[in-house]
Amino acid sequence: MAAISQAVNFAGISTDRRLHRPSLRRSAVVINHSTAAAEKRPTNHKMEAAAAVAKAKKFLEEEENEKLSLEDYFEQAESLIKSDGGDGPPRWFSPLECGSRIFDNSPLLLYLPGIDGLGLGLILQHQKLGKIFDVWCLHIPVKDRTPFQDLILLVEQTVRSENCRFPGRPIYLVGESIGGCLALAVAARNPNIDLVLILANPATSFAKSQLQSILPLLEFIPSELSLISIPYAFSLMTGDPFKTTSSGLEKGFQLEKLYKGLFKQSIHFSVVADILPRDTLLWKLRMMNSAASFVNSRIYAVKAQILILASGRDPLLPNLEEAERIRVALPKQEIHLLKDTAFLPKCEIRKFDESGHFIFLEDGIDLVAILKGTSFYRRAKFQDYVSDYLPPTEAEFKKICEPYRWISTATGPVMFSTLDDGKIVRSLEGIPTEGPVVLVGYHMLLGLELFPLVMNFLTERDVLLRGLAHPIIFVRMLEEQLDISMFDSFRAMGAVPVSASNFYKLLAAGSHVLLYPGGMREACHKKGEEYQLFWPERSEFVRMAARFGAKIIPFGVVGEDDIGELVLDYDDQMKIPYLRDLIEKGSGVGQLRTDAEGEVANQIGYLPGILPKFPGRFYYYFGKPIDTAGMKEELKKRDKADQVYLEIKSEVERCISFLKENRERDPFRSLASRTLYSAISGWSAEVPTFEI
């Protein structure tokens, strides 16, 4: 066992992380993990939140280094095989490009490789992962024949040792293919350790795999003819070896470029022959078979938090079907609902319909962005949606915005704000850039105002709004009821579950908090209720805001009636048996204000039936900020807080009335008039609106 767990120093590569950052094209290194230092979380939550925000900003502003590619994978694989001769026991190494973390208490990430065994499968992800994780990769030399059960013991020994050293932090197991089986096996044997499993196309479905068909063939091929197995191995690494060639022909690429592509592939063939020679490939396939059987007989014991990444174009494994099977087979966690108790899998699935087997080697896959969107990143036993939050990078922000950009194009949002002297301007100049700030407003039907609002704040004022969102965005629903992946962009952009504690943490961190007192009751209102406020009678947020001297900015927004007509509301759907069953089935999940009275207590969610209209325009109006600095003692009195609360509500209603009245004077309210103006004046020109 000592031989298995030893570390190795690859030839010619420095192991001292105190040295300057090396070229990204250099191979991976091992560090002395036994002497790594980590700090505990601060006990003062306000200090912790402020520190987290500062470090997150550093993460957001730091320039991205040169990105690695599949070409780098093959280069480093060749160098790695030459340096260790393909021999020796399995061991851990830490890539050099993973040596710059922004958190002192970053969790440990153990990468468990797929069929290649090299441990380089995350090479395209190293730079970003290294900022938020302590990354260790498992390297299994080409000639190594360690059985699957011994690999379990190796990983288990590391997991238990690191858990003893840092019992308060989770350990991430990122397993790909066979590595996914290895992660599940370790989790099944260690149910009391806080593990987070990221499974990429786990090989638990090997019995249904096309790989079964080549096992007999490989067994009878003489070693001298092992080159016959290379196409199979190359397909494992990169998919169809001629796929890029055929796509190049379809796109009209120059013949010279195609020849260069084929030449590169021919070079890669020789590297693949070194990575997976016939005997190694045969050993790995047999191991995959035994690993799948081992895990499937013990999956009932897995209690870890799990995220499955399933590819839709993997010719080797039926991943989409298998992900659902695993989710159903896993033990259920108890979820308390309003009317009942449900038992749901502690597992989420993200599907990538266009991806192949080795998903992490594809350019469009960003594991850090996936973890942000799924809220799977945490640095302690429990998720802290404030201090654990990582703002999106510029590239991530663009990718998140792309699917929603049509909303801004169709609605031509106009935003007004109020300066300190009371002047109304067409911009967000009146919004303070220093927090804490609480923006309190009206929630349009289905929250359609959110995307233009969040995007404009970030692009115009460099302010990231942290929305207090309904728990339904974070609570796993029944799969046939709601696919929670549709909310990934909300979580990536900073949404947190609405609660008093999260509100407190956001204010303590100096955030800009987006708050809708009307909640789901406004966002899922009925016919004839547009632009009506359904707020609770109690001043739920005023005294908390005053405690931190926050500025409260009331705002109104109109335009939902310009883009659609509500034709099937809650009352209508409750008369249709099928729709009524769906509403009642999910009525208890994430319920809020169960002790409240009146309309605001009716927080049952549903999807309204909307008949689209030829798009009009969205209008936003932010009133003058109400500064609560110095009012902490005064607003401790309930009557004083209620008075300020009513003033805020009245101001929101005034903002809505102002917009409804003045939009009638906007000559560019319709999409047609705005399109014509842009065609004449230029698409980058700001389209005018009514005079203030």
Side-chain angles (χ1 to χ4, degrees):
M1 183 57 62
I4 290 179
S5 61
Q6 68 173 324
V8 64
N9 196 2
F10 294 122
I13 309 291
S14 169
T15 62
D16 191 346
R17 277 190 174 174
R18 293 172 296 178
L19 301 179
H20 62 82
R21 192 174 181 85
S23 168
L24 295 176
R25 293 187 178 272
R26 297 181 66 182
S27 187
V29 301
V30 174
I31 62 169
N32 184 359
H33 295 298
S34 62
T35 60
E39 297 180 5
K40 295 183 178 179
R41 288 189 168 210
T43 54
N44 185 299
H45 190 84
K46 185 172 182 179
M47 292 173 55
E48 176 186 358
V53 170
K55 290 179 179 179
K57 285 183 178 179
K58 177 183 177 183
F59 181 92
L60 180 62
E61 295 167 359
E62 185 175 298
E63 290 187 12
E64 291 188 0
N65 294 312
E66 178 188 0
K67 295 186 68 174
L68 300 185
S69 65
L70 185 61
E71 189 76 17
D72 296 287
Y73 168 85
F74 284 107
E75 287 182 12
Q76 292 200 17
E78 187 176 21
S79 174
L80 191 54
I81 294 172
K82 288 180 180 178
S83 66
D84 66 5
D87 207 352
R91 58 266 198 182
W92 299 104
F93 70 90
S94 290
L96 276 172
E97 54 266 28
C98 291
S100 178
R101 294 194 294 277
I102 61 174
F103 296 120
D104 295 323
N105 59 335
S106 297
L108 176 66
L109 184 151
L110 302 178
Y111 172 63
L112 311 178
I115 198 167
D116 64 316
L118 295 177
L120 295 173
L122 290 179
I123 189 169
L124 274 66
Q125 319 288 331
H126 283 168
Q127 292 169 261
K128 294 185 71 173
L129 287 174
K131 291 182 174 70
I132 60 175
F133 287 106
D134 183 8
V135 181
W136 301 8
C137 302
L138 181 62
H139 173 64
I140 305 174
V142 173
K143 298 178 183 179
D144 178 74
R145 297 295 182 263
T146 302
F148 182 71
Q149 285 81 357
D150 286 352
L151 290 177
I152 295 175
L153 294 178
L154 165 62
V155 178
E156 184 178 67
Q157 180 187 40
T158 304
V159 166
R160 291 180 177 178
S161 172
E162 291 303 306
N163 182 64
C164 287
R165 293 177 62 231
F166 304 105
R169 72 176 185 179
I171 297 176
Y172 283 70
L173 301 181
V174 179
E176 195 168 17
S177 189
I178 299 178
C181 294
L182 186 55
L184 284 167
V186 172
R189 288 166 55 94
N190 298 272
N192 296 323
I193 295 180
D194 185 12
L195 298 176
V196 181
L197 273 53
I198 312 296
L199 309 178
N201 301 324
T204 49
S205 62
F206 184 78
K208 302 176 183 178
S209 172
Q210 297 181 18
L211 293 171
Q212 292 273 18
S213 62
I214 72 170
L215 269 172
L217 178 63
L218 289 176
E219 290 174 351
F220 290 102
I221 293 177
S223 298
E224 294 78 9
L225 301 178
S226 61
L227 286 176
I228 297 177
S229 67
I230 293 179
Y232 292 104
F234 193 81
S235 179
L236 286 173
M237 307 301 298
T238 62
D240 183 357
F242 299 103
K243 184 176 180 181
T244 55
T245 303
S246 61
S247 64
L249 286 171
E250 293 170 3
K251 296 178 181 179
F253 285 175
Q254 296 178 1
L255 193 60
E256 180 184 357
K257 293 183 178 180
L258 297 181
Y259 279 129
K260 288 182 179 179
L262 288 172
F263 178 72
K264 285 184 178 180
Q265 288 187 349
S266 65
I267 296 176
H268 293 165
F269 262 74
S270 64
V271 180
V272 173
D274 293 334
I275 297 174
L276 289 173
R278 191 212 66 164
D279 291 343
T280 298
L281 180 58
L282 184 59
W283 168 263
K284 292 293 179 67
L285 293 179
R286 287 173 176 167
M287 181 191 292
M288 190 180 290
N289 190 25
S290 63
S293 299
F294 184 93
V295 170
N296 286 327
S297 65
R298 295 165 174 81
I299 198 168
Y300 63 88
V302 177
K303 296 182 179 180
Q305 183 182 8
I306 299 177
L307 174 64
I308 303 178
L309 310 181
S311 296
R313 292 198 174 185
D314 184 351
L316 311 177
L317 298 170
N319 299 307
L320 300 181
E321 174 186 338
E322 181 64 9
E324 295 292 344
R325 188 195 70 82
I326 293 175
R327 186 182 68 84
V328 173
L330 287 168
K332 307 299 186 290
Q333 62 175 332
E334 185 174 324
I335 300 292
H336 296 285
L337 309 179
L338 176 63
K339 302 176 182 178
D340 202 352
T341 298
F343 295 88
L344 303 177
K346 198 176 182 180
C347 170
E348 291 190 26
I349 300 171
R350 292 298 180 270
K351 300 176 182 179
F352 301 85
D353 294 331
E354 302 301 318
S355 294
H357 183 68
F358 275 70
I359 190 171
F360 293 132
L361 291 178
E362 299 182 9
D363 285 336
I365 303 301
D366 186 338
L367 181 54
V368 171
I370 293 171
L371 294 178
K372 292 179 183 180
T374 54
S375 293
F376 258 71
Y377 182 74
R378 55 187 172 89
R379 292 177 287 128
K381 184 175 180 60
F382 299 103
Q383 182 93 43
D384 188 320
Y385 290 96
V386 177
S387 63
D388 286 334
Y389 175 68
L390 300 168
T393 63
E394 183 177 351
E396 290 168 356
F397 175 64
K398 291 179 179 178
K399 190 172 182 179
I400 291 170
C401 289
E402 195 58 38
Y404 302 99
R405 200 169 296 279
W406 66 269
I407 299 179
S408 285
T409 302
T411 61
V414 179
M415 298 196 179
F416 301 98
S417 63
T418 309
L419 303 180
D420 290 338
D421 59 4
K423 181 181 178 181
I424 301 175
V425 294
R426 185 188 173 181
S427 70
L428 295 176
E429 185 181 351
I431 306 297
T433 55
E434 296 296 326
V437 174
V438 183
L439 294 108
V440 185
Y442 167 72
H443 216 354
M444 248 205 290
L445 187 65
L446 292 179
L448 295 173
E449 81 284 354
L450 282 171
F451 170 74
L453 179 64
V454 173
M455 186 179 72
N456 278 41
F457 264 76
L458 196 54
T459 55
E460 185 178 336
R461 299 295 283 171
D462 194 25
V463 167
L464 180 63
L465 295 180
R466 303 298 306 275
L468 290 171
H470 196 282
I472 197 172
I473 293 179
F474 301 88
V475 175
R476 173 97 183 136
M477 295 281 290
L478 298 176
E479 194 66 24
E480 66 274 13
Q481 180 79 4
L482 182 66
D483 181 7
I484 199 174
S485 66
M486 66 189 295
F487 298 122
D488 284 2
S489 58
F490 289 82
R491 291 188 290 268
M493 290 302 294
V496 303
V498 59
S499 70
S501 60
N502 282 334
F503 188 38
Y504 176 93
K505 294 174 187 177
L506 289 171
L507 293 173
S511 304
H512 284 65
V513 185
L514 182 58
L515 176 63
Y516 292 107
M520 187 174 288
R521 180 61 183 89
E522 281 181 3
C524 296
H525 62 68
K526 303 174 185 178
K527 294 176 184 176
E529 293 180 343
E530 60 272 8
Y531 309 128
Q532 293 183 30
L533 302 188
F534 295 94
W535 288 19
E537 294 184 4
R538 292 180 296 178
S539 52
E540 298 179 329
F541 61 87
V542 173
R543 288 190 292 177
M544 183 79 78
R547 182 171 182 176
F548 293 92
K551 293 182 176 65
I552 300 176
I553 304 179
F555 73 94
V557 54
V558 302
E560 65 177 75
D561 54 337
D562 265 5
I563 63 170
E565 180 181 355
L566 180 56
V567 295
L568 201 64
D569 66 6
Y570 173 80
D571 293 335
D572 296 326
Q573 294 188 29
M574 289 300 288
K575 297 174 184 177
I576 303 173
Y578 174 73
L579 297 178
R580 182 179 63 244
D581 291 343
L582 287 178
I583 293 174
E584 291 178 347
K585 194 172 184 179
S587 63
V589 178
Q591 278 279 324
L592 294 174
R593 294 169 174 158
T594 56
D595 58 342
E597 297 179 355
E599 284 291 337
V600 75
N602 184 9
Q603 291 280 320
I604 295 177
Y606 76 102
L607 291 177
I610 302 174
L611 183 64
K613 293 181 179 179
F614 193 74
R617 202 168 196 181
F618 281 179
Y619 302 85
Y620 301 75
Y621 175 29
F622 298 89
K624 187 176 180 179
I626 299 173
D627 196 347
T628 64
M631 300 176 64
K632 179 179 178 180
E633 294 301 322
E634 181 182 355
L635 292 181
K636 281 184 177 181
K637 300 176 181 179
R638 173 71 68 179
D639 58 337
K640 292 291 185 180
D642 288 344
Q643 182 180 345
V644 174
Y645 178 73
L646 291 176
E647 290 176 3
I648 296 170
K649 183 179 181 181
S650 177
E651 180 66 8
V652 172
E653 292 174 330
R654 188 189 69 81
C655 291
I656 293 174
S657 298
F658 172 86
L659 294 173
K660 288 176 65 178
E661 177 183 349
N662 285 279
R663 68 174 174 174
E664 301 296 334
R665 300 186 292 106
D666 186 358
F668 300 99
R669 181 175 171 182
S670 70
L671 176 61
S673 60
R674 294 196 302 275
T675 303
L676 179 61
Y677 180 89
S678 297
I680 297 174
S681 304
W683 297 104
S684 60
E686 183 179 68
V687 180
T689 185
F690 57 82
E691 293 292 334
I692 303 174

